[in-house]
Amino acid sequence: MADLRIDLAGIASPNPFWLASAPPTNTGYQVQRAFEAGWGGAVWKTLGDPIINTSSRFAAVHFNGQRVAGFNNIELISDRPLEVNLKEIYETKKRFPGHAIIVSLMVEPKREKWHEIVKKVEAIGVDGLELNFGCPHGMAERGMGAASGQQPDLVEMQTMWVKEAAQTPVIVKLTPNITDITATAKAAVRGGADAISLINTINSLAGVDIDTWNTVPHVGGKGAHGGYCGPAVKPIALNMVAECARNPLVGVPISGIGGISNWRDAVEFILMGSTGVQICTAAMHHGFSIVEDMIDGLNNYLEDKGLNSVTELIGKSVERYSEWGDLDLNYAVVARIEQETCIVCNKCHIACEDTSHQCIERHTDEHGAAYLKVREEDCVGCNLCSIVCPVEGAISMIEVPSTELPLSWNQRQAAIAAVGKGKEVDGTDKKEAV
Amino acid sequence: MSAYEQYVGEKNKIDAYIEQQYIITGVREGLSGDWLELKHPGGDETALLVETADARKYFANLLIKQSRKV
Ligand SMILES: Cc1cc2nc3c(=O)[nH]c(=O)nc-3n(C[C@H](O)[C@H](O)[C@H](O)COP(=O)(O)O)c2cc1C
Ligand code: SF4
Ligand code: SF4
């Protein structure tokens, strides 16, 4: 068995799988059952002045037969008094001393408010705090959640206030509802954050009912924007994690969140710089027992790779994530159709003909059977045909060895700048369109 | 004409000048493509409008090789 233990900014956990702050971590009953099922840690449902939720709260986007491709909610933070939560947190920690309990907090951007809640929560013995600057809906009028998480100066200041009072590690949870996630990540670090977690949910409206014209979900005929999560947001979350991981001004451990549904997703987040991961939607969709497959899958993967510890994976793909301008323009792939596996459905031909570079030709062989062939010299290697092909392995993207040294756009532009614009040779007769 | 044929046409023209000892003396990027300015050691100058992406990549490779030589 590989070593699955992690240490995120001083928070030890038996494995990298934590439940994110959300309905699965609402009560002691739930978190204790989650720990029994195998979850390594839990970020308790956000505590603050207890709120009142609406009755209709969730909606999902089902896509082409897959249920819950995306999940939308208009739920707020905990609706239970602080003392009730603290009592259950205490009991849970007592029963599971080796598991990580992090408590999510959200109060008004006032120093004394933060000091008060931090002291009360830490007094009962928790492993860390997570500051929820990301809740996309609700209580913006009091400057909480995303309302403060979108302003780097407020993120920095509130983190600083928390750090003045906190004894345990402080994780700042970032909202993705911002253009440049590193702006707030850096602000959190300037404020003294020990770690960051991302992403919270993305502003969303799950749908409009075209029969009733109501929003989905609606509360008695009215809707409000919600937060989107689940598998659909994974690529957005992964990019944001990567952007933080490769920014030297961030430089603190990352707890990766957003659309993680299985051990493979978790490995991707860890490779992109997360020390551990947090999961909400997948647990809401399938229950706590999904963690068993996650633990088994991760363990088998590490053993297959010959690695002893999950920590050996952290950040291994970060250096491979760069700027577009640094990519090698001389690198080339072309599509190749494997005639044995191709079912001649024509999808690739249509895709290339209508929306790419018109280089998949239809031919007929000597027996009158149709087959498709890529005119490789015109193929730009866009991958579209292999994306739309319904048959695994029918189209391979083949690397075309280059005789040239790597050439990036930035190198090209530097070379052009070095040679200059020339002196605009006189006489149109001298100019030749080649 | 396929994109590849257009590229080969542009590449051949550029190669023809390079074979005659022309060197690249300037590149002007614009909406129509890149004007590639070439100069012969004997003094003759010319400019080629390079339109295809592959040929614009091709001359950049040449330009980098040329800069390594000098
Ligand atoms: C119904 C619901 C309620 C949530 N409540 C909170 C919350 O109270 N505090 C918080 O920080 N994040 C909250 N979240 C966000 C999740 O913790 C998590 O960041 C997000 O769902 C992305 O992860 P996922 O794709 O695994 O669901 C909530 C998410 C959902 C779906
Ligand atoms: S990779 Fe793109 S350009 Fe090449 S054949 Fe496929 S769809 Fe056409
Ligand atoms: S999409 Fe795939 S299976 Fe269909 S014709 Fe193209 S290669 Fe064959």
Side-chain angles (χ1 to χ4, degrees):
Chain A
M1 178 93 185
D3 188 354
L4 300 188
R5 287 173 304 167
I6 60 158
D7 182 313
L8 187 134
I11 305 173
S13 169
N15 64 52
F17 303 112
W18 294 359
L19 284 171
S21 174
T25 60
N26 201 32
T27 64
Y29 169 76
Q30 291 166 283
V31 174
Q32 289 176 34
R33 286 191 57 237
F35 286 165
E36 280 163 10
W39 292 87
V43 185
W44 208 272
K45 176 75 184 167
T46 304
L47 307 183
D49 293 350
I51 54 75
I52 303 170
N53 272 312
T54 55
S55 169
S56 181
R57 295 174 204 182
F58 307 153
V61 173
H62 310 302
F63 188 76
N64 256 0
Q66 180 185 336
R67 293 197 67 78
V68 197
F71 193 81
N72 177 88
N73 85 88
I74 54 169
E75 177 178 296
L76 303 176
I77 63 171
S78 178
D79 59 2
R80 306 185 315 149
L82 184 70
E83 292 68 28
V84 176
N85 279 298
L86 293 184
K87 184 167 168 288
E88 293 176 19
I89 293 167
Y90 173 77
E91 285 160 2
T92 308
K93 189 66 203 168
K94 211 162 106 188
R95 258 197 80 197
F96 294 91
H99 288 62
I101 299 186
I102 297 90
V103 177
S104 171
L105 307 175
M106 179 166 112
V107 292
E108 285 172 70
K110 290 188 180 143
R111 190 180 192 181
E112 63 281 6
K113 275 282 206 182
W114 280 108
H115 283 191
E116 180 194 4
I117 196 163
V118 164
K119 284 177 189 154
K120 283 186 170 161
V121 169
E122 286 195 335
I124 48 117
V126 298
D127 297 301
L129 305 172
E130 186 180 81
L131 314 187
N132 178 0
F133 295 150
C135 186
H137 38 259
M139 295 183 292
E141 80 288 353
R142 283 192 259 167
M144 292 193 277
S148 66
Q150 286 161 336
Q151 294 186 46
D153 53 338
L154 277 180
V155 169
E156 181 178 346
M157 193 170 63
Q158 294 183 94
T159 309
M160 229 158 59
W161 291 337
V162 169
K163 285 296 290 180
E164 286 168 355
Q167 308 288 321
T168 62
V170 174
I171 306 170
V172 172
K173 184 168 180 177
L174 303 175
T175 175
N177 299 314
I178 182 166
T179 313
D180 176 7
I181 193 84
T182 63
T184 43
K186 286 183 288 192
V189 172
R190 283 197 303 273
D194 299 291
I196 51 171
S197 57
L198 61 156
I199 60 172
N200 208 310
T201 55
I202 301 173
N203 285 340
S204 62
L205 168 58
V208 177
D209 185 323
I210 60 168
D211 295 320
T212 63
W213 302 359
N214 271 329
T215 61
V216 183
H218 72 92
V219 179
K222 271 211 174 124
H225 84 272
Y228 205 46
C229 51
V233 309
K234 192 191 112 188
I236 298 165
L238 197 54
N239 170 58
M240 289 186 166
V241 164
E243 290 298 345
C244 290
R246 74 193 188 89
N247 190 313
L249 296 178
V250 177
V252 293
I254 297 171
S255 180
I257 321 170
I260 298 165
S261 304
N262 52 48
W263 68 267
R264 283 191 179 79
D265 296 338
V267 167
E268 290 181 49
F269 274 77
I270 296 169
L271 286 170
M272 263 307 166
S274 305
T275 300
V277 295
Q278 298 185 29
I279 291 156
C280 165
T281 302
M284 291 181 75
H285 190 184
H286 302 293
F288 291 147
S289 63
I290 56 166
V291 76
E292 290 166 27
D293 280 349
M294 291 183 177
I295 290 170
D296 283 353
L298 178 60
N299 180 51
N300 293 342
Y301 171 80
L302 291 171
E303 284 181 357
D304 286 351
K305 289 271 176 209
L307 300 173
N308 296 320
S309 162
V310 65
T311 57
E312 292 171 52
L313 286 181
I314 300 171
K316 284 292 184 288
S317 296
V318 174
E319 67 173 0
R320 298 175 191 222
Y321 202 53
S322 176
E323 299 294 333
W324 186 92
D326 293 329
L327 304 181
D328 179 12
L329 296 173
N330 283 331
Y331 175 82
V333 289
V334 292
R336 199 164 291 166
I337 296 173
E338 312 296 336
Q339 303 300 338
E340 302 73 45
T341 26
C342 170
I343 57 169
V344 200
C345 72
N346 220 25
K347 287 278 298 175
C348 58
H349 170 75
I350 294 167
C352 190
E353 200 66 17
D354 290 359
T355 65
S356 193
H357 284 68
Q358 299 79 48
C359 56
I360 300 187
E361 297 172 343
R362 284 178 60 81
H363 296 282
T364 311
D365 68 14
E366 66 270 27
H367 309 293
Y371 71 97
L372 293 108
K373 194 167 187 310
V374 177
R375 211 168 54 250
E376 291 184 8
E377 67 272 19
D378 282 324
C379 170
V380 300
C382 72
N383 290 348
L384 180 65
C385 52
S386 69
I387 290 167
V388 302
C389 175
V391 181
E392 193 65 41
I395 300 187
S396 318
M397 300 304 301
I398 309 286
E399 197 172 318
V400 185
S402 172
T403 51
E404 302 288 353
L405 292 170
L407 169 77
S408 71
W409 174 259
N410 291 340
Q411 287 169 322
R412 178 187 189 273
Q413 296 316 99
I416 288 177
V419 76
K421 286 185 190 301
K423 54 182 175 148
E424 209 158 330
V425 179
D426 289 327
T428 44
D429 56 325
K430 283 284 188 186
K431 293 181 184 171
E432 196 180 352
V434 296
Chain B
M1 186 162 49
S2 79
Y4 179 71
E5 284 163 5
Q6 202 189 342
Y7 156 66
V8 171
E10 294 193 332
K11 176 181 179 298
N12 287 345
K13 284 220 165 155
I14 296 167
D15 283 345
Y17 281 106
I18 300 296
E19 270 161 34
Q20 293 170 53
Q21 315 296 313
Y22 279 76
I23 59 159
I24 301 168
T25 51
V27 177
R28 268 175 293 120
E29 299 174 284
L31 291 172
S32 310
D34 295 344
W35 281 101
L36 185 63
E37 300 211 341
L38 296 142
K39 188 173 182 184
H40 192 266
D44 189 37
E45 290 174 293
T46 192
L48 303 177
L49 177 63
V50 187
E51 294 179 356
T52 67
D54 278 343
R56 284 182 283 114
K57 178 161 72 183
Y58 179 70
F59 81 65
N61 283 317
L62 292 180
L63 188 55
I64 284 179
K65 279 180 208 151
Q66 178 182 295
S67 70
R68 288 202 182 108
K69 269 188 217 147
V70 287

